[in-house]
Amino acid sequence: MPLSVPTWPELLGSATRSAVHLEMRDSYAVDYEKGPFAQWRAGFRHDPSDRASWWRPWLDLIQETVGRGVVVRRARIVSEPVSEYTHFLYDGTFTNVAAGEQVRWLPRRQASDIALPGNDFWLIDDRLIRWNHFTGEGASAGGEMSDDPAAVKLCGEAFEEVWSRAIPHDQYQIR
């Protein structure tokens, strides 16, 4: 029987030690990001000193999760030169870091020999996976949960290998 997909507050609220996220696409067409991406393309950039202008529910959730002692790490495997969308993500990543996430970037050429799962995922406490499915155009195709031990092992090992090779956000320079 498939596991039900919890809300993000429920999922991250269930974490007691760690929540890791691996992103492997060069662009996403998630509906709620179309506006901010369009604004970014038109030249808008968040002012790091005006936290109230960019703080939003997701960042509150990350801050609450980290505040409970959960280590939240995000790794992004990216093609270089980066896509315009990846550049957009990069420019806004300081908000994730301000909320308490640790973020690293791995050039795709350095990931060729890593056994990677077929989809982006969140792994909670090395026990529970939330797969993020996307259409070919990058739109969200929904989430799926798994606690399959083999999949958990694959995701955990893949994430740790990516993390060990990846460049911390404050040191990564987009190309």
Side-chain angles (χ1 to χ4, degrees):
M1 170 181 240
L3 301 174
S4 64
V5 178
T7 66
W8 289 109
E10 290 169 342
L11 181 65
L12 291 178
S14 76
T16 60
R17 296 181 323 278
S18 67
V20 301
H21 183 37
L22 183 61
E23 297 177 350
M24 299 180 282
R25 297 180 59 93
D26 287 319
S27 66
Y28 296 86
V30 179
D31 291 342
Y32 65 83
E33 290 183 335
K34 288 181 183 172
F37 182 49
Q39 292 168 347
W40 178 86
R41 291 179 87 194
F44 173 81
R45 299 297 182 271
H46 289 292
D47 177 353
S49 66
D50 185 12
R51 189 177 191 133
S53 72
W54 46 264
W55 205 257
R56 53 190 184 270
W58 176 255
L59 299 173
D60 285 335
L61 178 58
I62 295 299
Q63 185 177 38
E64 290 166 13
T65 303
V66 170
R68 290 187 293 104
V70 176
V71 176
V72 180
R73 296 182 292 161
R74 177 187 305 257
R76 292 181 171 136
I77 298 174
V78 296
S79 299
E80 291 180 324
V82 300
S83 69
E84 183 180 33
Y85 191 86
T86 297
H87 192 162
F88 159 69
L89 289 177
Y90 177 84
D91 280 354
T93 295
F94 77 90
T95 65
N96 299 79
V97 173
E101 274 190 61
Q102 299 172 40
V103 181
R104 292 188 181 181
W105 303 80
L106 182 64
R108 192 170 307 282
R109 289 179 182 266
Q110 296 176 30
S112 297
D113 62 346
I114 300 173
L116 297 167
N119 294 289
D120 290 9
F121 64 86
W122 280 88
L123 178 60
I124 306 298
D125 293 333
D126 295 315
R127 64 173 173 78
L128 185 63
I129 303 164
R130 184 194 195 277
W131 300 110
N132 293 335
H133 297 296
F134 296 93
T135 68
E137 297 298 319
S140 176
E144 178 184 1
M145 301 301 297
S146 174
D147 58 3
D148 174 69
V152 165
K153 183 176 189 283
L154 171 66
C155 290
E157 290 175 353
F159 184 87
E160 293 305 330
E161 187 59 32
V162 168
W163 190 257
S164 73
R165 297 180 189 193
I167 302 162
H169 176 70
D170 64 351
Q171 296 172 27
Y172 181 70
Q173 296 188 4
I174 59 170
R175 300 180 326 149

